[in-house]
Amino acid sequence: MTIDLKNLTIEKAHKHLIGGDFTARELAEAYLKNIEEKNKDINAYLEVFSDVLLQADKADLRFKNGEKDNALLGIPMALKDNLLVEGRRVTCASKIMEGYVAPYSATAIQKLIEKGVVFLGRVNMDEFAMGASTENSAFGVTKNPHDVTRVSGGSSGGSAAVVAANLALCALGSDTGGSIRQPSAFCGVVGYKPSYGAVSRHGLVAMSSSLDQIGPITNSVEDSKIIFDCIAGVDSYDATTISINESALIKKKIGIVKGLLDIEGIDSEVKKNFEESIEKAKGLGFEIVELEMPHISHALEVYYIICPAEVSSNMSRFDGMRFGKKVGGSNLLEEYLETRGQLLGSEVKRRIMIGTYVLSSGYYDAFYGKANKARELIKKDFENAFETVGAVMTPTTPSPAFKIGEKSNDPLQMYLADVFTVTANIAGVPAISIPSGVSKDGMPFGLQLMGAYKNDAALFDIAKEFER
Amino acid sequence: MISKIEIEKLANLSRLALTLPEKDSFSNEIGAILGYISNINSLVSNDDVPQYAHKNILREDLVLHTTGEYTDRLVANAPEREGNFVKVKKILG
C-alpha cells in the first residue's frame, strides 16, 4: 500500500506494522524519500544516518518474531542534535563541537533503542539550544514548512519542522524555556515538556541544568504520551530524576491568568484565537476560572538571570582541550580565549557574559539571589492554582512564526518570544502545546496547557480532550 | 548600555576573545538585557521570601566501570592527544 505519511501517527503506524500493511523498512524508505526531496527546502536535517534501513530491518525481524505490543518498534524518529547516541556525531549546531563523537548514549536514547525505534538522523537547533528561531545555528536557519520565509521557532526548530513536513513521524527535542513548545506551536504540531526530573538529562548536552528537560514532538497528544512513557523514569545517572504520579481524576476546571494577555506585544490574532480556545474549553465541559498569579508575569526576568548563570557555568567545559575543536595560541590563556571567542556564536557568548555578570560577587545578591527567591514565589503561584484547577491555559506564543531576520538583531525582542513558556520551566511543572488553528496568513497557533508538578498523566488526559 | 571597558572585563572573565564590532554590539545588547532583568528588584525585596528549597542529592563515590572502558572514546574527542593523555599547553610557568 502507499503510505499516507500526512495523516500518520505512531498509533496508526503501529497498527499497520503489526497488520502487515507495510514493513518498518518500507516506512523508513518513505521518510528517506521525503527527506531526499524536501529537506533542501527547509534545512532541517544536519545528518541523515547511513544505517536507517539496517535499523528498520532489525525492527522487522522483531515483528516477525511476534513482538506485538511495543508501540515504538520500527517508528522513525528524528533527534535534536544535543542528544548523545553512542558512536554517532553530535554538534549542538556549534562549530566548537566539530568532530565530536558520543562516547555513550543518553538514558532517554538508550530506552528508545531498546524499544526498536528507528533513528533517522540529527536535526537542526539554535547553537547549544540558545535561541527561539534556529537562526543561531552554525549551519543556517531551519525554515518553517508552512512558509519558508518564516522561522521554524527554536531552539528545537529542526525537530518541529521535520514532524510538520512529514520528514519524520516524531522527534525528540529539549525544552529549557519553551524550546519544544514554541517551535511546535510555530509549526502546528504537538510538543511536550515533562515535569522537571521526569526524564533523565543524562546524555543531553547541558544548557541550564535546573530547567532543561528532554521531550517529544509529535502529530498527536497520544503519540507524545507514548514516547514520554518510554523515556520517563528514575535514573541513577541523573540525581534530579523523580517518579511521577499515576493518572488522577481530572479536575474539570481550567485556569486562565488574570492580566496575562494585557502585556505589551501580544498579537491581536493570538488574543482572538485564545478567546476561541476558552469557548472550546467551555464546550468540552470545563469550568473557566480566572486566577490571580501575581508573580508569573516576571518569569521572563527570572529566566534570563537563572538561565545565563547556569549557561556560563556549563559552557566552561568547552576549553579547547577536551572536546571537539580548538584554535591554537601561544599560551594556555590565549588558547582558551581564541577557541571560545572564535568557535562560539554570538548568542552563546552573550549568555556566558550575562551569566558571568549576574554571578559576580558584586551583583550576585541583586540578580541571582533574587531570581532564586522569585522562582519560589512563582512555584507558589502554581501550587495555589492547582488546588483549584486541573490545568492553566495560555497561548503558547505571543505571535505566530515571525519572519526570518525579523528579530535576529534584537536579542531582547527574541527573548520575549518565550514569555508564556518560561514559567513552566521556572516552576518545574509539565506543559504541552497543541495546535489551535491558523492565522489569516495560514500560520499555526498553539495552545499551551500547564499541569501540576508530577501530574503529567493528568495533563495528557486534559490535552486529549482538546484534540477531539 | 554598559561601557566597553566593562564588556572587555566581562569577556576576559568569561574567557572569550571578542572582535571590535562584537564589543560594540554587546555593550548595547547586554546593556539592554541587564536593564530588563533589573526589574527583578521591584518583584522581590531582600527579606519577604522563604528560603528556596534546593538540596544536594549525593551518592557513594564508587567505581562503576572497568578501567580503560571509556578511555579511548573520551581521549579521541580531545583536539590533541599523546597516547592516552590529553595534550595541553604548559600550565605552570
Side-chain angles (χ1 to χ4, degrees), chain A residues 364-385:
Chain A
Y364 182 91
D365 289 332
F367 287 103
Y368 189 68
K370 284 205 170 160
N372 272 318
K373 287 180 177 177
R375 184 177 197 169
E376 293 308 308
L377 294 173
I378 291 165
K379 270 188 194 164
K380 199 79 202 152
D381 275 358
F382 274 99
E383 281 167 21
N384 293 339

Side-chain angles (χ1 to χ4, degrees), chain B residues 6-75:
Chain B
E6 275 184 286
I7 287 290
E8 279 168 359
K9 193 181 164 200
L10 263 184
N12 206 34
L13 286 170
S14 307
R15 296 289 184 262
L16 294 165
L18 300 183
T19 62
L20 278 175
E22 277 180 323
K23 285 178 195 171
D24 282 336
S25 62
F26 283 179
S27 77
N28 283 322
E29 292 158 0
I30 292 178
I33 294 162
L34 291 176
Y36 177 71
I37 61 178
S38 296
N39 291 333
I40 193 87
N41 284 301
S42 64
L43 177 67
V44 189
S45 75
N46 285 325
D47 46 24
D48 68 346
V49 194
Q51 279 296 305
Y52 66 93
H54 291 170
K55 62 177 194 296
N56 283 321
I57 302 170
L58 304 171
R59 60 166 173 80
E60 290 301 310
D61 187 14
L62 302 170
V63 178
L64 300 171
H65 308 289
T66 49
T67 306
E69 190 182 345
Y70 284 91
T71 306
D72 196 58
R73 278 179 261 179
L74 292 171
V75 181

Side-chain angles (χ1 to χ4, degrees), chain A residues 169-202:
Chain A
L169 182 49
C170 54
L172 280 192
S174 65
D175 190 314
T176 306
S179 279
I180 286 174
R181 290 159 286 155
Q182 186 257 24
S184 296
F186 279 7
C187 294
V189 292
V190 175
Y192 188 70
K193 184 208 85 82
S195 289
Y196 181 76
V199 178
S200 169
R201 289 175 293 109
H202 177 64

Side-chain angles (χ1 to χ4, degrees), chain A residues 4 13 18 47 59 99 113 125 145 222 248 358 387 429:
Chain A
D4 176 17
I18 50 173
E47 179 189 0
I113 290 173
M125 57 188 278
E222 177 61 21
V358 300
E387 279 176 17
V429 301

